[in-house]
């Protein structure tokens, strides 16, 4: 690490932390190029194209000078958080998320930056169907059903999932008035009001559980699906609003080549020969050998000596300023017994972990962070010989409504959803266990958890053969819950943290749980910390160094 520079610590090496680290390193590289370019222009007597203050508003200093330093601490011995990909015997097994969505482009942008855009993988659109297990069998979700809102009449009318009275009640959305503007309500209350009870029980609840592992009776519609509130306010009807959204997406897909060439003509990799990046053909996206392709590329792109895995930050304390003009600094106590003084902090771990670190620094922020609930979940992947599958699997998978009382909340046919996830003569299936109010199954021992998922798969889709392999991944307190009032709570927390100069929050507990959301939050937090430290002058006594946590002297 460079002495005498302000140092930024990223605490947490999940996707938010990696997004922050990549943004910090990118800012340093851009600052170095701008400073070097300015010096070269001056030496040649030519004006420089570099913006005042360097790239991204960073101080230029001497050619190639770094305006700050950074380091990332991660308790685990790996980076990427819940993105865990195991590649074994021709199988690509995802332990956490298996994809990101095209509507949130930040993973694609990062992939382009680190050189793996050409490894993007579309899902199998030829088999893009999903099912709901209800009344003892699987029912296909009708074509045109987006989340829980029907947008095509005939497939919806012919669906066996919803009764005719239930369909009629959903259709009343076209006639119902708007709700009270600006009022947050539970997702369950919102869906009952707009679409009816049957739509909530058979469609909304299982789909939402598959995304958030949450209970719609407690979940905030404003925080989880803000577009629904926007549609109600703008279009009055969810059906009308979703039809318009579907048509807009269709037009955007048609216009992609022109937009891509104009906006990203300089993009590298994955192009179509025109300089524009290729257009994703599917809504769900991954990479050729799993989501870890992206994590591995980001890690490889960062300086290895800045990434401290297996090293936890156990405490954070405000460091007294050296004088009246002194800048804010923070002392970190590390799990190896050393301490480190830094001038900026990106708290990129779970809300409860960040809250614990802020105790004693800002009790209000700590209490707010600690109040965000989490749910424990687990995934179990099992592989079978294709010849042992009694009937062909169809679609991406299925969800299970809470009212069914089953041991799993969803299943994914991994080898159908994405190509290359299993050898040609095998299939790979994944079961999801644990949801709000029913977390106990996720804590079962591995052998019992595998037996549970196998029994459920045998009952639901007929997979009763002995599996070739099984893999269990556990996520204790892994899924943040956006309860009613969540948006207001986040606003209060961020206002409190705003009183701590140089401290920023990032993570899936703020404004979205997806990979793209975490990358966006991490990069934004990094930019805010850079803006704080860019003009700091760090006295020699406050230079960030690794020092013993105690001086070894007796009192």
């Amino acid at each position: 690490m460079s002495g005498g520079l302000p140092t930024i610590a990223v605490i947490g090496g999940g996707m938010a932390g990696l997004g922050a680290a990549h943004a910090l390193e990118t800012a340093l590289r851009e600052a170095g190029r701008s400073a070097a370019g300015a010096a070269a222009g001056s030496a040649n007597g030519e004006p420089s194209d570099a913006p005042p203050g360097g790239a991204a508003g960073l101080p230029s200093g001497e050619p190639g000078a770094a305006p700050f330093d950074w380091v990332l601490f991660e308790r685990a011995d790996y980076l990427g958080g819940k993105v865990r990909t195991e590649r074994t015997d021709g199988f690509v097994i995802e332990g956490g998320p298996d994809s990101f969505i095209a509507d949130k482009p930040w993973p694609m942008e990062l992939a382009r930056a680190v050189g793996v855009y050409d490894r993007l993988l579309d899902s199998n659109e030829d088999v893009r169907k999903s099912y709901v297990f209800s009344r003892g069998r699987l029912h296909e979700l009708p074509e045109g059903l987006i989340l829980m809102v029907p947008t095509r009449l005939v497939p919806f009318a012919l669906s066996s999932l919803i009764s005719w009275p239930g369909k009629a009640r959903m259709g009343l959305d076209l006639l119902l008035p708007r709700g009270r503007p600006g009022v947050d309500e539970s997702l369950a209350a919102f869906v009952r009001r707009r679409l009816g009870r049957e739509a909530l029980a058979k469609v909304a609840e299982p789909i939402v559980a598959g995304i958030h592992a949450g209970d719609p009776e407690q979940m905030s519609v404003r925080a989880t699906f803000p577009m629904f509130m926007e549609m109600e306010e703008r279009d009055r009807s969810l059906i009308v609003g979703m039809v318009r959204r579907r048509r807009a997406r269709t037009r955007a897909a048609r216009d992609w080549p022109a937009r891509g060439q104009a906006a990203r003509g300089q993009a590298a990799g994955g192009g179509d020969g025109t300089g524009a990046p290729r257009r994703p053909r599917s809504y769900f996206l991954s990479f050729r050998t799993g989501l870890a392709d992206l994590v591995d590329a980001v890690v490889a792109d960062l300086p290895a000596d800045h990434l401290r895995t297996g090293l936890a930050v156990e405490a954070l304390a405000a460091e007294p300023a050296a004088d009246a003009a002194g800048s804010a600094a923070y002392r970190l106590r590390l799990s190896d017994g050393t301490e480190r003084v830094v001038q900026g902090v990106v708290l990129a771990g779970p809300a409860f972990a960040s809250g614990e670190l802020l105790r004693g620094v800002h009790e209000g922020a700590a209490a707010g962070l600690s109040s965000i609930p989490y749910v424990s979940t687990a995934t179990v992947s099992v592989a079978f010989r294709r010849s042992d599958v009694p009937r062909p699997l169809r679609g991406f998978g299925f969800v299970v409504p809470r009212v069914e009382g089953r041991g799993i909340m969803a299943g994914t046919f991994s080898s159908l959803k994405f190509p290359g996830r299993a050898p040609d003569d095998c299939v790979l299936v994944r079961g999801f266990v644990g949801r709000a109010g029913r977390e106990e199954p996720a804590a079962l021992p591995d052998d019992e958890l595998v037996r549970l998922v196998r029994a459920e798969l045998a009952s639901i889709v007929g997979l009763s053969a002995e599996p070739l392999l099984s893999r269990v991944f556990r996520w204790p307190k892994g899924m943040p819950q956006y309860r009613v009032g969540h948006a207001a709570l986040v606003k209060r927390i961020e206002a409190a943290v705003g009183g701590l100069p140089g401290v920023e929050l990032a993570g899936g507990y703020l404004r979205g749980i997806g990979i793209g959301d975490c990358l966006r939050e991490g990069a934004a937090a990094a930019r805010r910390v850079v803006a704080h430290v860019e003009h700091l002058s760090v006295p020699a006594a406050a230079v960030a160094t690794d020092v013993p946590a105690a001086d070894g002297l007796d009192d």
Side-chain angles (χ1 to χ4, degrees):
M1 300 299 171
S2 303
L5 293 174
T7 296
I8 299 170
V10 179
I11 302 177
M15 297 309 292
L18 287 180
H22 183 267
L24 293 173
E25 185 62 22
T26 299
L28 284 179
R29 293 171 183 173
E30 291 178 352
R33 285 198 298 270
S34 295
S42 298
N44 295 329
E46 298 174 355
S48 169
D49 292 331
L58 296 171
S60 298
E62 296 299 321
F68 61 87
D69 204 350
W70 68 270
V71 60
L72 181 149
F73 298 105
E74 166 54 47
R75 179 184 300 273
D77 60 2
Y78 64 91
L79 297 169
K82 296 182 185 66
V83 174
R84 298 294 308 275
T85 305
E86 180 181 340
R87 308 171 181 106
T88 180
D89 297 330
F91 293 97
V92 177
I93 303 169
E94 299 286 15
D98 67 356
S99 60
F100 60 91
I101 60 175
D103 281 353
K104 297 184 178 183
W106 301 282
M108 287 185 282
E109 293 174 358
L110 183 57
R112 189 176 296 114
V114 298
V116 291
Y117 191 89
D118 61 343
R119 296 185 63 81
L120 274 177
L121 184 68
D122 296 292
S123 59
N124 280 320
E125 291 300 281
D126 291 343
V127 297
R128 186 184 171 185
K129 296 178 180 179
S130 295
Y131 296 83
V132 175
F133 183 79
S134 178
R135 305 187 305 279
R137 69 184 184 93
L138 292 174
H139 302 260
E140 182 180 340
L141 282 172
E143 183 181 358
L145 189 78
I146 302 177
L147 291 174
M148 62 202 74
V149 182
T151 64
R152 293 181 177 172
L153 177 60
V154 173
F156 174 65
L158 296 177
S159 171
S160 63
L161 176 61
I162 303 293
S163 68
W164 279 107
K167 293 171 184 174
R169 175 60 185 85
M170 292 177 74
L172 282 179
D173 169 76
L174 293 165
L175 305 176
L176 292 172
R178 294 176 175 87
R180 288 184 296 164
V183 176
D184 194 8
E185 60 185 314
S186 73
L187 183 63
F190 182 86
V191 174
R192 277 194 294 264
R193 178 167 61 80
R194 296 292 335 172
L195 301 171
R197 293 181 180 275
E198 190 175 352
L200 171 64
K202 294 183 178 179
V203 183
E205 187 278 328
I207 289 177
V208 167
I211 299 171
H212 293 270
D215 179 357
E217 297 290 351
Q218 299 179 341
M219 295 174 64
S220 161
V221 66
R222 178 183 296 279
T224 53
F225 295 100
M227 64 177 164
F228 287 159
M229 297 188 71
E230 294 166 4
M231 287 176 183
E232 184 180 45
E233 182 176 345
R234 182 186 64 241
D235 305 305
R236 185 180 54 77
S237 161
L238 296 186
I239 296 174
V240 171
M242 197 63 81
V243 168
R244 288 176 175 171
R245 182 174 183 267
R246 177 171 59 82
R247 290 172 178 170
R249 287 180 58 190
T250 300
R251 289 194 298 271
R254 286 199 305 264
D255 294 343
W256 174 280
R259 291 187 297 108
Q261 187 171 3
R264 305 189 187 279
Q266 76 283 8
D272 58 4
T274 68
R278 77 163 180 84
R279 175 175 63 85
R281 291 180 290 274
S282 65
Y283 184 67
F284 296 103
L285 296 164
S286 184
F287 293 88
R288 290 180 193 168
T289 57
L291 289 174
D293 284 2
L294 179 61
V295 172
D296 294 344
V298 173
V299 171
D301 190 57
L302 297 173
D305 62 343
H306 287 53
L307 304 173
R308 307 292 298 276
T309 57
L311 189 59
V313 177
E314 295 186 333
L316 180 153
E319 183 77 354
D323 52 48
S327 304
Y330 302 91
R331 183 173 292 272
L332 310 180
R333 189 178 76 237
L334 307 178
S335 58
D336 64 355
T338 63
E339 293 185 345
R340 191 172 183 87
V341 176
V342 299
Q343 288 67 45
V345 178
V346 177
L347 291 169
F352 54 85
S354 296
E356 189 62 32
L357 288 175
L358 289 180
R359 292 195 187 282
V361 179
H362 197 300
E363 290 296 335
L369 287 163
S370 299
S371 72
I372 297 175
Y374 278 71
V375 166
S376 297
T377 63
T379 67
V380 179
S381 290
V382 285
F384 301 90
R385 295 180 181 85
R386 190 175 295 276
S387 59
D388 288 337
V389 179
R391 55 182 181 272
L393 302 178
R394 295 184 175 87
F396 286 178
F398 60 90
V399 293
V400 182
R402 182 182 295 264
V403 296
E404 296 294 324
R406 306 296 300 216
I408 61 175
M409 67 172 177
T412 298
F413 305 144
S414 303
S415 52
L416 288 182
K417 186 173 182 180
F418 287 103
R421 290 325 189 228
D424 290 343
D425 60 346
C426 298
V427 298
L428 182 65
V429 182
R430 185 164 71 149
F432 297 80
V433 177
R435 67 204 307 168
R438 296 182 183 176
E439 300 177 64
E440 296 81 4
L444 291 172
D446 282 7
D447 57 345
E448 293 184 34
L449 199 50
V450 171
R451 281 200 297 270
L452 169 66
V453 170
R454 287 186 59 194
E456 292 290 78
L457 292 177
S459 173
I460 294 172
V461 295
L463 286 172
S464 58
E466 186 72 22
L468 296 171
L469 62 81
S470 61
R471 294 292 187 273
V472 175
F473 293 85
R474 300 178 182 277
W475 306 110
K477 297 182 71 174
M479 190 69 73
Q481 300 297 290
Y482 293 6
R483 292 185 174 174
V484 174
H486 180 80
L489 173 60
V490 168
K491 188 175 181 179
R492 291 194 300 272
I493 292 170
E494 291 183 328
V497 173
L500 300 173
V503 176
E504 296 290 344
L505 303 174
Y509 60 88
L510 292 170
R511 298 175 186 84
I513 63 171
I515 292 173
D517 301 302
C518 293
L519 292 174
R520 179 198 66 221
E521 292 288 345
R527 287 192 292 268
R528 293 192 297 269
V529 177
V530 168
H532 168 74
V533 305
E534 61 181 352
H535 300 303
L536 293 184
S537 174
V538 183
V543 171
T545 55
D546 293 323
V547 297
D551 58 13
L553 300 177
D554 294 331
D555 292 335

